[in-house]
Amino acid sequence: MSFLQSTYNLFFDQKSFFENRNGLRVPIILTLVYAVVSTVAGIPIMMSTAAGIPSELFGILIGTAAVSSVISAVVVWFAVSAFFFACLKFVGYAECSYKQVLEVCGYVSAILIVQSVFTGLVSLIGAAPAVLLLLFEGVFLLWSIPVWYFGFASVCNIDEKKLRLSVAVPVIVMAVITSAGVILAL
């Protein structure tokens, strides 16, 4: 399958995509690219936040924030994968490994790259309203659900009803956490 067809399938036909998955190498690359893209997209926000800092500390602060952003993206990948793995094991009694769950969750990074680009473009225009950012988060979270669903269906031995519940629980928790963060930011 060509790169363009594979990319199209990942974004729009996840069932076909997961019939031909490649292992953990591609999700690692996607997650690292996402980490870098989200950091670059966040630099305008970092710079406006650090504007009041003395100039000799400005570069150190931006550099530290950038490195922290990359590291946190990778840590979040592991944490979200662990949360899905726990739900798959304890809610769905699925037969799968953490490595397989990590692989599936890594493919969501492709969608997160698109989200970071859009968020970065919006931040170049100006400060986005919290409601708009919440809407972006919701749209991209919903777009990620088929990746998780069909991905876990391809790697786990699990009943369909339990799979839906195992995906729904983390998605609901992520939606609540995101909403709470936006509400606190207001």
Side-chain angles (χ1 to χ4, degrees):
M1 185 180 322
S2 72
F3 173 77
L4 291 176
Q5 183 64 43
S6 183
T7 303
Y8 175 83
N9 286 347
L10 176 58
F11 286 132
F12 303 110
D13 187 10
Q14 293 83 9
K15 187 174 184 179
S16 295
F17 177 81
F18 282 105
E19 291 172 356
N20 302 311
R21 57 181 211 285
N22 297 331
L24 200 53
R25 183 174 45 101
V26 173
I28 290 171
I29 292 168
L30 284 172
T31 302
L32 292 176
V33 169
Y34 160 65
V36 171
V37 169
S38 68
T39 300
V40 170
I43 286 178
I45 296 168
M46 290 180 218
M47 291 178 70
S48 67
T49 304
I53 303 296
S55 61
E56 56 272 357
L57 296 176
F58 185 80
I60 294 171
L61 182 66
I62 297 297
T64 303
V67 170
S68 297
S69 177
V70 170
I71 291 171
S72 68
V74 174
V75 169
V76 166
W77 174 41
F78 282 105
V80 167
S81 298
F83 189 39
F84 272 109
F85 182 69
C87 285
L88 286 164
K89 287 293 187 178
F90 298 119
V91 174
Y93 304 107
E95 293 179 21
C96 57
S97 69
Y98 177 70
K99 180 181 175 185
Q100 291 170 316
V101 173
L102 195 64
E103 174 187 345
V104 170
C105 290
Y107 284 114
V108 173
S109 295
I111 294 171
L112 296 176
I113 291 169
V114 175
Q115 177 186 0
S116 294
V117 169
F118 279 127
T119 305
L121 291 174
V122 168
S123 72
L124 290 176
I125 296 169
V131 175
L132 178 63
L133 294 177
L134 181 61
L135 181 64
F136 269 151
E137 289 281 333
V139 167
F140 287 99
L141 182 63
L142 289 174
W143 193 5
S144 301
I145 291 172
V147 176
W148 288 315
Y149 181 84
F150 290 112
F152 296 144
S154 74
V155 298
C156 297
N157 183 12
I158 186 172
D159 175 70
E160 187 177 334
K161 184 177 178 182
K162 290 180 181 177
L163 176 60
R164 284 193 304 261
L165 185 61
S166 297
V167 171
V169 169
V171 168
I172 291 168
V173 169
M174 285 186 263
V176 167
I177 289 171
T178 301
S179 299
V182 170
I183 291 169
L184 291 175
L186 296 174

